[in-house]
Amino acid sequence: MGGTMARAARTWLVVLGVAVGAVLLPASPAAAHNSLTGSDPKNGARVATAPKRIELRFLATLSPGTTKITVTGPDDAPASGGDPTFSGKRVSVPFTPGPAGVYTVAYQVGSTDGHPIKGQVSFTLTTGVAPATPSASASPTTPAPPTPVAEATSANPAPVSSRSDDGGGTGLWWALAAVVALVALGGGLLLRRRSARR
C-alpha cells in the first residue's frame, strides 16, 4: 500500500515538472528579447500642447550604447532637441515641436541575446509652432544724422587759431619795429650831441 502511494506521488511530481517546464521553456527566449511597454505621448495620441520630452518605456533595462532614438515631424524634419536621458527601463529625449502634424519616434534597443529590437510610435500634434522669422526678430537700425553743431565746432578751430596766431605775430613784429626805431633814434641823437661838442 505504501509503495503504491509512493509511486503515485512520484508520478504526479514528474507530470507537474513536465507541465511547468513546458510553460517556462517557451517563455525564456521571449524574455531574452526587449520590447516596448509604453510611451508618453501614447502611440496614436492627439495632443494640443507639445510635450517638452518624449518618453519610451521598455521591458528590460536599457544600455546607452545600444539605444538609438530619432524623432521626426512633418516632411521628415528632425524634432529632437538633444541627447537621450536614461533611467533604468526608461529613455526620454527632448522634443522640439514644429508645425502641426504627425510626429514619429523611431527606436532601436539592444536585448540580452544580442539582437537589436526596432520599432516606432507616433502621435499627432494638433497645434503647431510657427518658425521664427529672422526679419521679425531683428529690428532695423538707421544711422543717426550728424548734428550741425558738431560740424561747426569741428570746422571752426582752425580759422580761429589762425586768426589769433596772425594777430599775435603782427603785434610782435610791430613791437620789434618800434624798438628798432627807438634804438635808431636814440643812436642818432647821441651822434648829433657828440658832433656838436666837437
Side-chain angles (χ1 to χ4, degrees), residues 149-176:
V149 176
E151 289 178 358
T153 53
S154 61
N156 285 339
V160 170
S161 61
S162 63
R163 286 193 203 110
S164 62
D165 290 344
D166 290 345
T170 305
L172 182 62
W173 283 113
W174 278 109
L176 285 174

Side-chain angles (χ1 to χ4, degrees), residues 83-180:
D83 296 327
T85 303
F86 294 87
S87 176
K89 301 176 183 180
R90 300 173 179 230
V91 59
S92 62
V93 290
F95 179 56
T96 304
V102 177
Y103 287 80
T104 302
V105 185
Y107 62 86
Q108 177 178 322
V109 298
S111 298
T112 56
D113 61 358
H115 292 91
I117 305 299
K118 296 181 180 180
Q120 66 181 31
V121 297
S122 62
F123 64 93
T124 302
L125 184 64
T126 58
T127 305
V129 177
T133 56
S135 59
S137 59
S139 58
T141 55
T142 54
T147 57
V149 176
E151 289 178 358
T153 53
S154 61
N156 285 339
V160 170
S161 61
S162 63
R163 286 193 203 110
S164 62
D165 290 344
D166 290 345
T170 305
L172 182 62
W173 283 113
W174 278 109
L176 285 174
V179 169
V180 169

Side-chain angles (χ1 to χ4, degrees), residues 52-106:
K52 292 184 179 179
R53 303 183 73 82
I54 298 172
E55 182 182 83
L56 302 178
R57 297 181 291 276
F58 291 88
L59 186 65
T61 302
L62 300 169
S63 170
T66 58
T67 302
K68 295 179 182 177
I69 309 291
T70 58
V71 184
T72 54
D75 299 326
D76 291 330
S80 176
D83 296 327
T85 303
F86 294 87
S87 176
K89 301 176 183 180
R90 300 173 179 230
V91 59
S92 62
V93 290
F95 179 56
T96 304
V102 177
Y103 287 80
T104 302
V105 185

